[in-house]
Amino acid sequence: QKEVEQNSGPLSVPEGAIASLNCTYSDRGSQSFFWYRQYSGKSPELIMFIYSNGDKEDGRFTAQLNKASQYVSLLIRDSQPSDSATYLCAVIGNQGGKLIFGQGTELSVKP
Amino acid sequence: DAGITQSPRHKVTETGTPVTLRCHQTENHRYMYWYRQDPGHGLRLIHYSYGVKDTDKGEVSDGYSVSRSKTEDFLLTLESATSSQTSVYFCAIGDSSYEQYFGPGTRLTVT
């Protein structure tokens, strides 16, 4: 079992819809969770982080964390074509200090 | 890119030659990281540094060495490049071990 798993996609949604990206992790002791966005040919960009159970909202983005079920998700409301990118989930595990990345989910927002 | 540069941005080299990649930051961040990104594997940590002359291995450190003699510079050396080291290499920096910000990347091809 991979430490951090994501569906590679591609996930295709129409413009204006809600995009839902999911991530599961295996280390129950993980404490910190991050979402990065990576446009094709570019470097990853940190867009959200969440440390506590529940929801965290930032503009059109909402991160959701459920430690009991070991999943973290990212919702993008009112999706725009400019949101088309690969979204990377990353977790800091129990051993501390090191980010462990999932393989990323490719999102395509169609006009 | 949060005051972080990488050089060179592109390099083609031959099998068996040594290669050094440079990461330079202007943010005075304590932590610096080297990752490689490959299709099907996502981002994998090679080495990281938590201070001048303080480094540690990551998930895929074999065949790589690092040095950090100044806060602002973190060097990654491939002692004898192999075709399996063809990849995109990203440097990242952070003020803590949690939030990390990535440089623009170096595309390395080993022929």
Side-chain angles (χ1 to χ4, degrees):
Chain A
Q1 181 188 8
K2 292 181 181 177
E3 293 185 74
V4 180
E5 294 204 54
Q6 297 180 254
N7 188 324
S8 60
L11 173 66
S12 184
V13 300
E15 183 174 357
I18 296 175
S20 178
L21 304 160
N22 300 311
C23 171
T24 59
Y25 59 94
S26 61
D27 184 351
R28 188 170 286 278
S30 299
Q31 296 295 321
S32 307
F33 307 87
F34 303 84
W35 283 100
Y36 285 80
R37 178 177 62 200
Q38 187 175 24
Y39 292 113
S40 181
K42 301 295 185 181
S43 58
E45 172 193 10
L46 179 64
I47 55 172
M48 291 284 290
F49 57 87
I50 185 167
Y51 302 146
S52 304
N53 268 333
D55 294 359
K56 179 181 179 181
E57 188 174 317
D58 183 1
R60 296 187 294 112
F61 298 97
T62 299
Q64 299 176 316
L65 175 60
N66 184 321
K67 288 186 178 181
S69 299
Q70 295 177 238
Y71 82 78
V72 56
S73 61
L74 179 71
L75 302 179
I76 306 174
R77 290 182 299 281
D78 189 24
S79 295
Q80 301 297 309
S82 59
D83 294 325
S84 297
T86 296
Y87 289 80
L88 303 168
C89 173
V91 174
I92 291 187
N94 208 19
Q95 297 184 8
K98 302 175 188 178
L99 273 178
I100 302 168
F101 284 85
Q103 292 190 34
T105 297
E106 182 184 352
L107 172 66
S108 177
V109 181
K110 304 295 186 183
Chain B
D1 292 320
I4 177 171
T5 58
Q6 293 184 232
S7 59
R9 294 292 314 279
H10 302 270
K11 185 170 183 67
V12 179
T13 192
E14 293 184 349
T15 299
T17 60
V19 176
T20 295
L21 308 182
R22 180 184 184 231
C23 178
H24 179 78
Q25 62 149 328
T26 57
E27 304 295 321
N28 201 35
H29 284 337
R30 177 183 177 189
Y31 293 87
M32 300 186 75
Y33 307 82
W34 278 108
Y35 292 88
R36 60 180 289 174
Q37 188 173 36
D38 306 287
H41 291 281
L43 277 161
R44 293 180 292 174
L45 182 65
I46 305 171
H47 282 280
Y48 67 103
S49 170
Y50 45 94
V52 173
K53 298 187 178 179
D54 292 322
T55 64
D56 204 351
K57 296 179 179 180
E59 177 187 1
V60 288
S61 59
D62 287 348
Y64 302 95
S65 62
V66 291
S67 66
R68 190 172 179 196
S69 59
K70 298 185 292 184
T71 298
E72 57 266 34
D73 288 324
F74 192 32
L75 304 181
L76 176 70
T77 297
L78 289 65
E79 303 291 347
S80 177
T82 67
S83 58
S84 65
Q85 294 176 312
T86 292
S87 187
V88 178
Y89 291 86
F90 287 104
C91 177
I93 62 175
D95 206 22
S96 70
S97 62
Y98 296 103
E99 298 170 36
Q100 295 181 21
Y101 301 91
F102 285 79
T106 294
R107 185 172 295 276
L108 176 67
T109 302
V110 183
T111 61

